[in-house]
Amino acid sequence: MGRFAPSPSGPLHAGSLVSALASWLDARANNGRWLLRIEDIDSERCRPEYAEVIRRQLGALGLTWDADLPPQSRRRDHYREVIQDWLGQGLAYACACTRRDLSPFRRDGETCYPGTCRERRLEPQGQAIRYRLPDEAEVRFIDRRHGPQTQNVTAQCGDVVLRRRQGDYTYQFAVSVDDAEQGITHVVRGDDLLSSTGRQILLMRQLGHPPPTYLHHSLLIDADGHKLSKSTGADALDLTQPGAAIAAALRQLPLTLPDLASELPPQQLLDQALAAWTLLIQPSSGKMEL
């Protein structure tokens, strides 16, 4: 069972279409279900109207989904219950460290938490909450595109933030709870999330659920070499020519197709892409050659 989990901070753009298309193709090629989950946990950036825009965009492109999963904004009570349970078991703790406190431990865009508040026994109200990593925090998994991966979560980031001081739940926590509890078996997403997969696997194991299999595809970048994203002003998809939008996304995967003519109907392009994707799946391992 696969899922597409967009954040409604704006309409879909060309980069997010690549992820949606790859996830849709993988689910259909594996005779699985493809579910839509709106990840609107960021209350400052997300807007309900964009969730509806995204649904209309997917429909116009022929990327039909089998069911809607509950949006993250409706699962806040459950996230709170999980954290309360982990606090009670000593699996999580309150952290009073500020960004300034942790700035000396920031390298290459990521902070490696030194464990400052691990044994302080702070009251959780008004504080960040962190997951206490196990002694063995080296995670091994196989990415279906990149092959065997080893990530030492202690060295990468240290104890994982579950809830920020302001009360917002983090992406790493919410996506782990959702994928684990909603029965997701196949996750297809961009390479920018490969490095955080190990910490998500640890959180899912703590919940008592096996993690899904992962496939991280290459990213669509802009003229300056940056990932195409809403935050960098990526243009919304032009759906006046849906075939052109799908053809452009398929070129990024890439798939060998007999005809990527932009004037073809979306369904014809999707049928060709599905046949090509199915051929790329290695029956013995499920690995992809992308």
Side-chain angles (χ1 to χ4, degrees):
M1 185 154 59
R3 50 74 165 171
F4 178 53
S7 172
S9 55
L12 296 181
H13 54 76
S16 47
L17 176 56
V18 172
S19 284
L21 187 56
S23 177
W24 185 89
L25 288 170
D26 197 57
R28 297 298 183 236
N30 284 287
N31 296 313
R33 302 178 74 213
W34 191 62
L35 310 180
L36 179 64
R37 182 173 72 219
I38 300 298
E39 295 196 339
D40 55 353
I41 200 68
D42 187 341
S43 56
E44 291 187 5
R45 297 174 58 244
C46 296
R47 298 289 181 269
E49 58 268 28
Y50 285 133
E52 295 309 311
V53 170
I54 289 169
R55 288 187 175 93
R56 289 198 297 271
Q57 289 177 303
L58 292 173
L61 293 164
L63 297 177
T64 56
W65 59 99
D66 298 300
D68 283 282
L69 292 167
Q72 290 182 332
S73 59
R74 284 170 41 194
R75 286 175 53 78
R76 289 193 177 99
D77 287 346
H78 180 63
Y79 301 146
R80 183 175 64 252
E81 290 171 359
V82 172
I83 286 179
Q84 290 298 326
D85 180 54
W86 286 4
L87 285 169
Q89 297 184 59
L91 300 171
Y93 62 92
C95 173
C97 295
T98 65
R99 289 187 179 181
R100 179 178 294 182
D101 295 333
L102 299 177
S103 60
F105 305 97
R106 189 166 180 81
R107 298 287 186 276
D108 300 323
E110 176 132 69
T111 300
C112 186
Y113 184 67
T116 308
C117 295
R118 257 192 166 219
E119 308 305 329
R120 293 182 64 186
R121 301 180 184 277
L122 300 172
E123 289 296 320
Q125 187 172 359
Q127 308 291 1
I129 305 297
R130 290 182 180 271
Y131 172 66
R132 189 187 300 270
L133 290 176
D135 293 337
E136 179 52 60
E138 186 172 271
V139 181
R140 294 179 176 84
F141 64 96
I142 296 176
D143 182 85
R144 292 170 56 210
R145 173 170 170 248
H146 296 283
Q149 302 291 306
T150 300
Q151 295 179 0
N152 188 313
V153 182
T154 301
Q156 279 185 317
C157 64
D159 292 340
V160 181
V161 179
L162 308 177
R163 191 192 73 194
R164 299 186 182 91
R165 297 177 69 185
Q166 300 85 348
D168 291 332
Y169 301 102
T170 65
Y171 164 80
Q172 301 293 345
F173 173 58
V175 75
S176 301
V177 174
D178 291 348
D179 281 346
E181 297 181 351
Q182 292 168 351
I184 303 303
T185 60
H186 290 69
V187 170
V188 179
R189 59 191 185 185
D191 270 342
D192 55 324
L193 294 170
L194 176 61
S195 63
S196 63
T197 301
R199 66 201 72 171
Q200 294 174 21
I201 289 174
L202 282 179
L203 293 175
M204 284 185 249
R205 288 175 179 168
Q206 189 62 67
L207 291 162
H209 293 270
T213 62
Y214 292 93
L215 189 159
H216 292 84
H217 61 76
S218 59
L219 299 174
L220 189 59
I221 59 175
D222 60 22
D224 296 322
H226 300 129
K227 171 195 170 186
L228 200 66
S229 68
K230 299 165 190 171
S231 61
T232 57
D235 293 331
L237 289 171
D238 179 7
L239 294 183
T240 59
Q241 295 181 304
I246 292 175
L250 290 174
R251 292 188 187 99
Q252 296 297 321
L253 285 174
L255 291 173
T256 302
L257 299 175
D259 190 355
L260 271 180
S262 298
E263 65 272 11
L264 288 177
Q267 191 58 56
Q268 187 171 339
L269 286 168
L270 291 175
D271 288 344
Q272 290 182 13
L274 182 56
W277 188 279
T278 303
L279 290 175
L280 288 178
I281 299 176
Q282 297 180 11
S284 60
S285 64
K287 190 175 179 180
M288 297 288 294
E289 297 295 337
L290 287 177

Short mmCIF file of all heavy atoms in Angstrom, two decimals, residues 1-42:
data_model
loop_
_atom_site.label_atom_id
_atom_site.label_comp_id
_atom_site.label_asym_id
_atom_site.label_seq_id
_atom_site.Cartn_x
_atom_site.Cartn_y
_atom_site.Cartn_z
N MET A 1 0.85 -1.19 0.00
CA MET A 1 0.00 0.00 0.00
C MET A 1 0.88 1.23 0.00
O MET A 1 1.76 1.38 0.86
CB MET A 1 -0.93 -0.01 1.21
CG MET A 1 -1.93 1.14 1.23
SD MET A 1 -3.42 0.75 2.15
CE MET A 1 -2.73 0.38 3.77
N GLY A 2 0.69 2.11 -0.97
CA GLY A 2 1.48 3.33 -1.08
C GLY A 2 0.67 4.54 -0.71
O GLY A 2 -0.55 4.49 -0.51
N ARG A 3 1.36 5.66 -0.61
CA ARG A 3 0.67 6.91 -0.27
C ARG A 3 1.39 8.08 -0.90
O ARG A 3 2.59 8.06 -1.16
CB ARG A 3 0.57 7.08 1.24
CG ARG A 3 1.85 6.91 2.07
CD ARG A 3 2.80 8.06 1.96
NE ARG A 3 3.84 8.10 2.97
CZ ARG A 3 4.87 8.93 2.95
NH1 ARG A 3 5.04 9.73 1.91
NH2 ARG A 3 5.77 8.93 3.92
N PHE A 4 0.62 9.13 -1.17
CA PHE A 4 1.17 10.42 -1.55
C PHE A 4 0.76 11.38 -0.45
O PHE A 4 -0.42 11.43 -0.06
CB PHE A 4 0.64 10.87 -2.91
CG PHE A 4 1.13 12.22 -3.34
CD1 PHE A 4 2.49 12.50 -3.36
CD2 PHE A 4 0.25 13.22 -3.73
CE1 PHE A 4 2.95 13.75 -3.76
CE2 PHE A 4 0.70 14.46 -4.14
CZ PHE A 4 2.05 14.73 -4.16
N ALA A 5 1.73 12.12 0.08
CA ALA A 5 1.47 12.91 1.29
C ALA A 5 1.92 14.35 1.11
O ALA A 5 2.94 14.78 1.67
CB ALA A 5 2.16 12.27 2.49
N PRO A 6 1.20 15.13 0.32
CA PRO A 6 1.61 16.52 0.08
C PRO A 6 1.28 17.43 1.25
O PRO A 6 0.35 17.18 2.02
CB PRO A 6 0.79 16.91 -1.15
CG PRO A 6 -0.47 16.09 -1.02
CD PRO A 6 -0.03 14.78 -0.42
N SER A 7 2.05 18.49 1.37
CA SER A 7 1.78 19.53 2.36
C SER A 7 1.01 20.64 1.65
O SER A 7 1.47 21.17 0.64
CB SER A 7 3.10 20.07 2.92
OG SER A 7 2.87 21.18 3.74
N PRO A 8 -0.15 21.04 2.17
CA PRO A 8 -0.97 22.06 1.49
C PRO A 8 -0.51 23.48 1.80
O PRO A 8 -1.30 24.31 2.28
CB PRO A 8 -2.37 21.77 2.02
CG PRO A 8 -2.13 21.28 3.41
CD PRO A 8 -0.86 20.48 3.33
N SER A 9 0.75 23.75 1.50
CA SER A 9 1.27 25.10 1.65
C SER A 9 1.27 25.83 0.32
O SER A 9 1.77 26.94 0.21
CB SER A 9 2.68 25.06 2.24
OG SER A 9 3.54 24.25 1.45
N GLY A 10 0.72 25.17 -0.69
CA GLY A 10 0.62 25.72 -2.03
C GLY A 10 0.20 24.63 -2.99
O GLY A 10 0.11 23.45 -2.61
N PRO A 11 -0.09 24.99 -4.24
CA PRO A 11 -0.47 23.97 -5.22
C PRO A 11 0.71 23.06 -5.56
O PRO A 11 1.86 23.37 -5.26
CB PRO A 11 -0.86 24.82 -6.46
CG PRO A 11 -0.99 26.23 -5.98
CD PRO A 11 -0.09 26.36 -4.79
N LEU A 12 0.41 21.94 -6.19
CA LEU A 12 1.46 21.06 -6.69
C LEU A 12 2.27 21.78 -7.77
O LEU A 12 1.72 22.53 -8.58
CB LEU A 12 0.87 19.78 -7.28
CG LEU A 12 0.12 18.84 -6.34
CD1 LEU A 12 -0.37 17.62 -7.11
CD2 LEU A 12 0.98 18.42 -5.16
N HIS A 13 3.58 21.54 -7.78
CA HIS A 13 4.46 22.07 -8.81
C HIS A 13 5.11 20.88 -9.53
O HIS A 13 4.81 19.72 -9.23
CB HIS A 13 5.50 23.02 -8.21
CG HIS A 13 6.28 22.42 -7.07
ND1 HIS A 13 7.29 21.51 -7.25
CD2 HIS A 13 6.17 22.61 -5.73
CE1 HIS A 13 7.79 21.16 -6.09
NE2 HIS A 13 7.13 21.80 -5.14
N ALA A 14 6.01 21.16 -10.44
CA ALA A 14 6.59 20.09 -11.26
C ALA A 14 7.34 19.07 -10.41
O ALA A 14 7.31 17.87 -10.69
CB ALA A 14 7.52 20.70 -12.31
N GLY A 15 8.03 19.52 -9.36
CA GLY A 15 8.76 18.59 -8.51
C GLY A 15 7.86 17.67 -7.73
O GLY A 15 8.12 16.47 -7.60
N SER A 16 6.77 18.23 -7.17
CA SER A 16 5.85 17.39 -6.41
C SER A 16 5.09 16.43 -7.32
O SER A 16 4.71 15.33 -6.89
CB SER A 16 4.88 18.24 -5.58
OG SER A 16 4.31 19.29 -6.32
N LEU A 17 4.90 16.80 -8.59
CA LEU A 17 4.26 15.88 -9.52
C LEU A 17 5.14 14.66 -9.77
O LEU A 17 4.64 13.54 -9.90
CB LEU A 17 3.94 16.57 -10.84
CG LEU A 17 3.34 15.67 -11.93
CD1 LEU A 17 2.08 14.96 -11.46
CD2 LEU A 17 3.07 16.45 -13.21
N VAL A 18 6.46 14.85 -9.82
CA VAL A 18 7.37 13.71 -10.00
C VAL A 18 7.16 12.71 -8.86
O VAL A 18 7.06 11.49 -9.09
CB VAL A 18 8.83 14.18 -10.07
CG1 VAL A 18 9.78 12.97 -10.06
CG2 VAL A 18 9.06 15.01 -11.32
N SER A 19 7.09 13.20 -7.62
CA SER A 19 6.87 12.31 -6.48
C SER A 19 5.50 11.63 -6.54
O SER A 19 5.38 10.43 -6.27
CB SER A 19 7.00 13.09 -5.16
OG SER A 19 8.34 13.35 -4.86
N ALA A 20 4.48 12.41 -6.85
CA ALA A 20 3.13 11.83 -6.94
C ALA A 20 3.08 10.76 -8.02
O ALA A 20 2.53 9.66 -7.81
CB ALA A 20 2.11 12.93 -7.24
N LEU A 21 3.66 11.04 -9.16
CA LEU A 21 3.62 10.10 -10.28
C LEU A 21 4.40 8.83 -9.96
O LEU A 21 3.93 7.71 -10.21
CB LEU A 21 4.17 10.78 -11.53
CG LEU A 21 4.07 10.03 -12.85
CD1 LEU A 21 2.63 9.65 -13.15
CD2 LEU A 21 4.63 10.89 -13.98
N ALA A 22 5.59 8.98 -9.38
CA ALA A 22 6.40 7.81 -9.04
C ALA A 22 5.68 6.94 -8.01
O ALA A 22 5.67 5.70 -8.12
CB ALA A 22 7.76 8.24 -8.50
N SER A 23 5.07 7.56 -7.02
CA SER A 23 4.35 6.81 -5.99
C SER A 23 3.14 6.11 -6.58
O SER A 23 2.85 4.94 -6.27
CB SER A 23 3.92 7.78 -4.88
OG SER A 23 3.17 7.12 -3.90
N TRP A 24 2.40 6.79 -7.44
CA TRP A 24 1.21 6.22 -8.08
C TRP A 24 1.61 5.02 -8.95
O TRP A 24 0.98 3.96 -8.89
CB TRP A 24 0.52 7.29 -8.92
CG TRP A 24 -0.78 6.87 -9.55
CD1 TRP A 24 -2.03 6.96 -9.02
CD2 TRP A 24 -0.94 6.30 -10.87
NE1 TRP A 24 -2.97 6.49 -9.91
CE2 TRP A 24 -2.33 6.07 -11.05
CE3 TRP A 24 -0.06 5.96 -11.89
CZ2 TRP A 24 -2.84 5.52 -12.22
CZ3 TRP A 24 -0.57 5.41 -13.07
CH2 TRP A 24 -1.95 5.20 -13.22
N LEU A 25 2.65 5.19 -9.76
CA LEU A 25 3.08 4.11 -10.64
C LEU A 25 3.52 2.89 -9.83
O LEU A 25 3.20 1.75 -10.19
CB LEU A 25 4.24 4.58 -11.52
CG LEU A 25 3.89 5.58 -12.63
CD1 LEU A 25 5.17 6.14 -13.25
CD2 LEU A 25 3.02 4.92 -13.70
N ASP A 26 4.24 3.13 -8.73
CA ASP A 26 4.73 2.01 -7.94
C ASP A 26 3.59 1.24 -7.30
O ASP A 26 3.60 0.01 -7.26
CB ASP A 26 5.69 2.53 -6.86
CG ASP A 26 6.54 1.41 -6.28
OD1 ASP A 26 7.24 0.73 -7.04
OD2 ASP A 26 6.50 1.21 -5.05
N ALA A 27 2.60 1.96 -6.79
CA ALA A 27 1.45 1.28 -6.18
C ALA A 27 0.68 0.46 -7.22
O ALA A 27 0.33 -0.71 -6.98
CB ALA A 27 0.52 2.30 -5.52
N ARG A 28 0.43 1.07 -8.37
CA ARG A 28 -0.33 0.36 -9.40
C ARG A 28 0.46 -0.82 -9.97
O ARG A 28 -0.10 -1.89 -10.24
CB ARG A 28 -0.70 1.34 -10.53
CG ARG A 28 -1.62 2.48 -10.09
CD ARG A 28 -2.94 1.95 -9.59
NE ARG A 28 -3.86 3.04 -9.24
CZ ARG A 28 -4.43 3.17 -8.04
NH1 ARG A 28 -4.16 2.28 -7.08
NH2 ARG A 28 -5.26 4.16 -7.79
N ALA A 29 1.78 -0.66 -10.13
CA ALA A 29 2.60 -1.76 -10.67
C ALA A 29 2.67 -2.93 -9.70
O ALA A 29 2.86 -4.08 -10.13
CB ALA A 29 4.00 -1.26 -10.97
N ASN A 30 2.49 -2.66 -8.41
CA ASN A 30 2.51 -3.72 -7.40
C ASN A 30 1.10 -4.20 -7.04
O ASN A 30 0.92 -4.89 -6.04
CB ASN A 30 3.24 -3.24 -6.15
CG ASN A 30 4.75 -3.21 -6.31
OD1 ASN A 30 5.39 -4.24 -6.33
ND2 ASN A 30 5.30 -2.01 -6.46
N ASN A 31 0.11 -3.81 -7.87
CA ASN A 31 -1.29 -4.17 -7.62
C ASN A 31 -1.74 -3.75 -6.22
O ASN A 31 -2.50 -4.45 -5.54
CB ASN A 31 -1.50 -5.68 -7.80
CG ASN A 31 -1.24 -6.13 -9.22
OD1 ASN A 31 -1.71 -5.52 -10.18
ND2 ASN A 31 -0.47 -7.20 -9.37
N GLY A 32 -1.23 -2.59 -5.81
CA GLY A 32 -1.56 -2.09 -4.48
C GLY A 32 -2.49 -0.90 -4.52
O GLY A 32 -2.85 -0.38 -5.58
N ARG A 33 -2.87 -0.45 -3.33
CA ARG A 33 -3.71 0.73 -3.21
C ARG A 33 -2.83 1.96 -3.08
O ARG A 33 -1.72 1.90 -2.54
CB ARG A 33 -4.63 0.61 -1.98
CG ARG A 33 -5.52 -0.63 -2.03
CD ARG A 33 -6.37 -0.70 -0.77
NE ARG A 33 -7.43 0.29 -0.77
CZ ARG A 33 -7.91 0.90 0.32
NH1 ARG A 33 -7.36 0.65 1.50
NH2 ARG A 33 -8.89 1.77 0.22
N TRP A 34 -3.34 3.09 -3.57
CA TRP A 34 -2.63 4.37 -3.49
C TRP A 34 -3.51 5.34 -2.73
O TRP A 34 -4.64 5.63 -3.14
CB TRP A 34 -2.33 4.89 -4.89
CG TRP A 34 -1.38 6.06 -4.91
CD1 TRP A 34 -0.10 6.07 -4.48
CD2 TRP A 34 -1.64 7.37 -5.44
NE1 TRP A 34 0.48 7.31 -4.70
CE2 TRP A 34 -0.45 8.11 -5.28
CE3 TRP A 34 -2.75 7.98 -6.02
CZ2 TRP A 34 -0.34 9.45 -5.69
CZ3 TRP A 34 -2.64 9.30 -6.43
CH2 TRP A 34 -1.45 10.03 -6.27
N LEU A 35 -3.02 5.81 -1.59
CA LEU A 35 -3.81 6.62 -0.69
C LEU A 35 -3.29 8.05 -0.66
O LEU A 35 -2.11 8.30 -0.91
CB LEU A 35 -3.78 6.03 0.72
CG LEU A 35 -4.10 4.53 0.82
CD1 LEU A 35 -4.03 4.07 2.27
CD2 LEU A 35 -5.46 4.23 0.21
N LEU A 36 -4.18 8.97 -0.34
CA LEU A 36 -3.82 10.39 -0.25
C LEU A 36 -3.90 10.84 1.21
O LEU A 36 -4.92 10.66 1.86
CB LEU A 36 -4.77 11.23 -1.11
CG LEU A 36 -4.52 12.75 -1.08
CD1 LEU A 36 -3.16 13.08 -1.69
CD2 LEU A 36 -5.64 13.47 -1.84
N ARG A 37 -2.79 11.40 1.69
CA ARG A 37 -2.75 11.93 3.05
C ARG A 37 -2.28 13.38 3.01
O ARG A 37 -1.17 13.65 2.54
CB ARG A 37 -1.81 11.11 3.94
CG ARG A 37 -1.78 11.60 5.39
CD ARG A 37 -0.97 10.67 6.27
NE ARG A 37 0.46 10.75 6.02
CZ ARG A 37 1.27 9.69 6.02
NH1 ARG A 37 0.82 8.47 6.22
NH2 ARG A 37 2.56 9.85 5.81
N ILE A 38 -3.10 14.28 3.49
CA ILE A 38 -2.73 15.68 3.54
C ILE A 38 -1.93 15.93 4.81
O ILE A 38 -2.44 15.77 5.91
CB ILE A 38 -3.98 16.58 3.50
CG1 ILE A 38 -4.77 16.35 2.20
CG2 ILE A 38 -3.58 18.05 3.63
CD1 ILE A 38 -4.00 16.68 0.93
N GLU A 39 -0.66 16.34 4.64
CA GLU A 39 0.21 16.55 5.79
C GLU A 39 0.22 18.04 6.15
O GLU A 39 1.09 18.80 5.73
CB GLU A 39 1.62 16.02 5.48
CG GLU A 39 1.60 14.50 5.29
CD GLU A 39 2.97 13.85 5.36
OE1 GLU A 39 3.98 14.56 5.16
OE2 GLU A 39 3.02 12.62 5.63
N ASP A 40 -0.79 18.41 6.93
CA ASP A 40 -1.01 19.81 7.27
C ASP A 40 -0.69 20.10 8.73
O ASP A 40 -1.35 20.90 9.39
CB ASP A 40 -2.46 20.19 6.97
CG ASP A 40 -3.47 19.28 7.67
OD1 ASP A 40 -3.05 18.28 8.29
OD2 ASP A 40 -4.68 19.58 7.61
N ILE A 41 0.35 19.43 9.24
CA ILE A 41 0.71 19.60 10.64
C ILE A 41 1.32 20.97 10.92
O ILE A 41 1.28 21.46 12.05
CB ILE A 41 1.68 18.47 11.07
CG1 ILE A 41 1.68 18.31 12.59
CG2 ILE A 41 3.07 18.71 10.54
CD1 ILE A 41 0.41 17.78 13.15
N ASP A 42 1.87 21.62 9.89
CA ASP A 42 2.45 22.95 10.03
C ASP A 42 1.34 23.99 9.91
O ASP A 42 0.97 24.40 8.81
CB ASP A 42 3.53 23.17 8.96
CG ASP A 42 4.29 24.47 9.16
OD1 ASP A 42 3.79 25.36 9.86
OD2 ASP A 42 5.40 24.60 8.60
#
